Amino acid sequence: MRTQVAIIGAGPSGLLLGALLSKAGIDNIIVERQSGEYVLGRIRAGVLEQVTVDLLDEIGVSQRLHKEGLVHGGFDLLFAGKRHRIDMNHLTGGKNVVVYGQTEVTRDLMDDRAAKGLTTIYEADNVQVHDFEGSNPRVTYDKDGKSHTLACDFIAGCDGFHGVCRASVPKGAIKEFEKVYPFGWLGILADVPPVSHELIYANTERGFALCSMRSPTRSRYYVQVPLSDKVEEWSDDRFWKELRLHLDPQAQESLVTGPSIEKSIAPLRSFVAEPMRFGRMFLAGDAAHIVPPTGAKGLNLAATDVKYLGDAIVEHFAEKSDADIDHYSQRCLRRIWRAERFSWWFTSLMHQFPEAGGFGQKVQEAELDYLIHSEAASRALAENYVGLPLNFGE
Ligand code: RFL
Ligand code: PHB
C-alpha cells in the first residue's frame, strides 16, 4: 500500500491533519491503535480558541460547532471565598472562546472522513515507523493477524504522548524538557445543568477546582487530588461534597448534583520535545508536547501545529518548496513555549503545592488580588486564555 502522508493516530491532531490534506487533494491514510469508539470515549478538552474554530471552518467541519458550541466572553476566578469575572471579550477587544467538547470535534472529523470515503485503519497493532531519515519512509502494522506495509512520502506522528513516533527517534537526536506536578485532576461528567453559565476556576485552601460544561444540560467538574488517590476511592457523593467545599455560597446553592457518566484522574505535566521534525517524519500535538490542562491549551496547540504542518506539506507538493517544512519545528516551538509558560503560570497560581504551605497560599491570593484589580494583569491573562494569534510576533 502507498500514500503521500501516513498519519499515525486518529486523535484531534491526526484527524485535523487528514482533513486539511484531503481538502488540498493530498492523499493520506490514518493508522490508529484503538477502535473509533474508544477514541470517542475519552473525555478531554472543552475549550476551543478562535484559531481552532477558524481551522475547523477552513476544512468545512464546523456546522454543528456553530450550532451547539457555547460562546464564552469571560470566566470567573474564585478565591478567598469570592468570585471575580475576567471579561475576556472586553479585555481583548472582542475575542471569545467556544465551549465544545473534544469528543464532538473528534466525532465531526470522523463523520466527515467517513462521508468522503477516506481511509482510517483502526485497531492496528504493533505500529512501527521506518526509514524516516531517508527518502522512502514506511509504516508497518499488524491487523487481523496479518502484517501490512504502508509506503509514503511523509510520516506525521500524531500519536499522543505515549505514541511510537517520538519513541522511535534516536535518543541523541531529540531533547526533552519536562516538569511533573505533584497532583492530578479528578474529573467528573454528569447530566446536570452547569452551576454557572461560564467557567469557574477556583483556588481554595483545599486546592484547585474547575466548573466547566459541555452543554446547558451536561457539566464537567474537576478537583485537585494527590497523585496517590485512586478513582475507586471517589464515590460520586464524595466528589460532590468535595467540590461544594471549593465553591462560594451562591454557587453552593445553585450546584445540582447527579450520577456521574464518566470519572477519571489525569496527572498534570509540562513537556516539550525538540525538534519536531526528523527528516521525513514530523511530530504534532501531544506527541511533541503536553501542557497541564489549567490553561485549556492542549487541543488548541495541536490544532496550530497541524495548521503549520498541513500548509507546509501542501506547499511541498503544490509549489515544490520546502521552505515551510524546514521552518516547521521552529515555528511551532515558539508558539508552544508561550503556551507552556502560560499553562505553567496559571497552574502554579491556582493549585495547592504540598511544599508551599500557608505562605504559598497567601502569596497566591495576593497575586490573584492584583490580577483582578490591575487591568494590565487581567488583560495579560485574557490575551493568553483566548489564545495568541497564529502569527503573533512573526
Ligand atoms: P491524542 O488525543 O492523545 O491522540 C493520539 C492518538 O494516537 C493514538 N496512538 C497510536 N496510534 C497508532 N499507533 C500507536 N503506537 C499509537 N499510540 C497512540 C491514540 O490511541 C490516540 O487516538 O493526541 P492529539 O491528537 O495530539 O490531541 C491532543 C489533545 O487530545 C490534548 O492536547 C487535549 O485533550 C488536552 N486537554 C485540553 N486541551 C485544550 O485545548 N482545552 C482543554 O480544555 C483541555 N482540557 C485536556 C483537557 C486534557 C485532559 N487530559 C485527560 C489529559 C482536560 C483533560 C482532563
Ligand atoms: C473542560 O471543560 O474539560 C476544561 C475546561 C477548561 C480547562 C480544562 C478543561 O482549562
Side-chain angles (χ1 to χ4, degrees):
M1 226 179 353
R2 189 179 164 83
T3 188
Q4 286 173 294
V5 184
I7 300 173
I8 315 301
S13 299
L15 288 165
L16 275 169
L17 181 64
L20 205 56
L21 294 176
S22 299
K23 188 165 173 276
I26 296 170
D27 185 42
N28 61 87
I29 290 179
I30 301 183
V31 183
E32 163 64 50
R33 184 168 59 180
Q34 308 285 357
S35 68
E37 299 78 70
Y38 182 94
V39 171
L40 283 174
R42 291 188 299 228
I43 307 298
R44 291 184 168 179
V47 176
L48 307 184
E49 293 177 10
Q50 190 59 46
V51 289
T52 306
V53 175
D54 290 346
L55 182 60
L56 291 163
D57 284 340
E58 183 185 335
I59 58 184
V61 288
S62 56
Q63 299 85 337
R64 201 159 66 92
L65 160 83
H66 288 297
K67 214 163 78 201
E68 295 174 18
L70 308 169
V71 176
H72 284 196
F75 60 83
D76 282 349
L77 287 176
L78 193 170
F79 63 97
K82 282 207 193 90
R83 262 194 275 166
H84 309 267
R85 184 166 189 265
I86 300 292
D87 188 341
M88 289 185 302
N89 183 280
H90 167 73
L91 289 161
T92 61
K95 293 194 181 133
N96 301 308
V97 294
V98 179
V99 173
Y100 188 69
Q102 178 166 329
T103 312
E104 307 312 318
V105 174
T106 307
R107 193 190 304 279
D108 294 343
L109 288 163
M110 278 181 176
D111 289 352
D112 181 64
R113 207 170 161 84
K116 293 188 172 130
L118 302 168
T119 311
T120 308
I121 298 154
Y122 285 102
E123 299 181 271
D125 285 330
N126 189 26
V127 177
Q128 289 181 36
V129 291
H130 310 269
D131 301 334
F132 48 84
E133 288 294 354
S135 48
N136 296 304
R138 284 175 302 124
V139 176
T140 56
Y141 60 93
D142 299 338
K143 168 100 182 155
D144 301 329
K146 284 200 202 109
S147 303
H148 300 264
T149 299
L150 179 57
C152 56
D153 295 303
F154 294 109
I155 297 173
C158 298
D159 49 349
F161 184 66
H162 300 287
V164 67
C165 293
R166 194 182 72 251
S168 303
V169 174
K171 283 283 161 276
I174 192 165
K175 203 165 171 190
E176 298 183 346
F177 301 85
E178 184 171 46
K179 180 174 173 59
V180 177
Y181 299 85
F183 40 72
W185 280 18
L186 168 66
I188 181 170
L189 189 70
D191 277 329
V192 291
V195 67
S196 168
H197 68 286
E198 290 182 338
L199 271 61
I200 305 174
Y201 288 86
N203 170 322
T204 73
E205 283 160 18
R206 299 185 72 84
F208 172 78
L210 170 62
C211 305
S212 182
M213 66 205 66
R214 290 292 176 272
S215 74
T217 55
R218 181 168 285 189
S219 299
R220 179 73 167 155
Y221 295 110
Y222 299 94
V223 294
Q224 174 183 346
V225 291
L227 281 175
S228 51
D229 276 21
K230 302 271 167 291
V231 73
E232 302 75 45
E233 295 161 5
W234 284 88
S235 65
D236 288 357
D237 192 45
R238 181 175 172 209
F239 180 90
W240 293 118
K241 281 199 179 109
E242 183 61 37
L243 178 67
R244 193 179 291 276
L245 293 171
H246 292 255
L247 301 179
D248 58 296
Q250 194 198 342
Q252 282 174 347
E253 211 166 287
S254 44
L255 181 69
V256 182
T257 64
S260 64
I261 48 178
E262 195 267 356
K263 203 191 295 164
S264 52
I265 295 181
L268 266 64
R269 182 195 304 274
S270 297
F271 173 88
V272 182
E274 296 188 355
M276 291 166 61
R277 175 197 176 189
F278 306 89
R280 286 180 167 261
M281 181 170 82
F282 305 90
L283 303 180
D286 279 15
H289 45 78
I290 296 286
V291 284
T294 325
K297 291 278 163 268
L299 173 58
N300 294 296
L301 273 185
T304 45
D305 287 357
V306 161
K307 168 75 181 146
Y308 292 148
L309 181 57
D311 287 354
I313 294 177
V314 171
E315 187 188 69
H316 169 90
F317 286 113
E319 295 170 31
K320 308 272 180 261
S321 160
D322 279 352
D324 279 358
I325 281 190
D326 293 339
H327 195 42
Y328 171 68
S329 234
Q330 195 192 344
R331 205 168 177 211
C332 288
L333 284 163
R334 193 146 176 241
R335 187 177 178 84
I336 289 159
W337 276 111
R338 288 193 197 114
E340 289 284 345
R341 183 212 66 82
F342 173 67
S343 304
W344 159 81
W345 168 78
F346 201 28
T347 301
S348 308
L349 179 66
M350 298 306 291
H351 291 75
Q352 274 283 323
F353 286 73
E355 71 283 3
F359 182 83
Q361 178 68 23
K362 286 289 180 191
V363 168
Q364 284 179 338
E365 286 178 12
E367 183 167 357
L368 284 160
D369 190 38
Y370 167 66
L371 197 59
I372 57 156
H373 289 105
S374 156
E375 186 161 326
S378 298
R379 179 166 293 127
L381 167 60
E383 184 174 76
N384 281 280
Y385 192 88
V386 298
L388 301 175
L390 208 51
N391 50 4
F392 181 84
E394 280 183 16

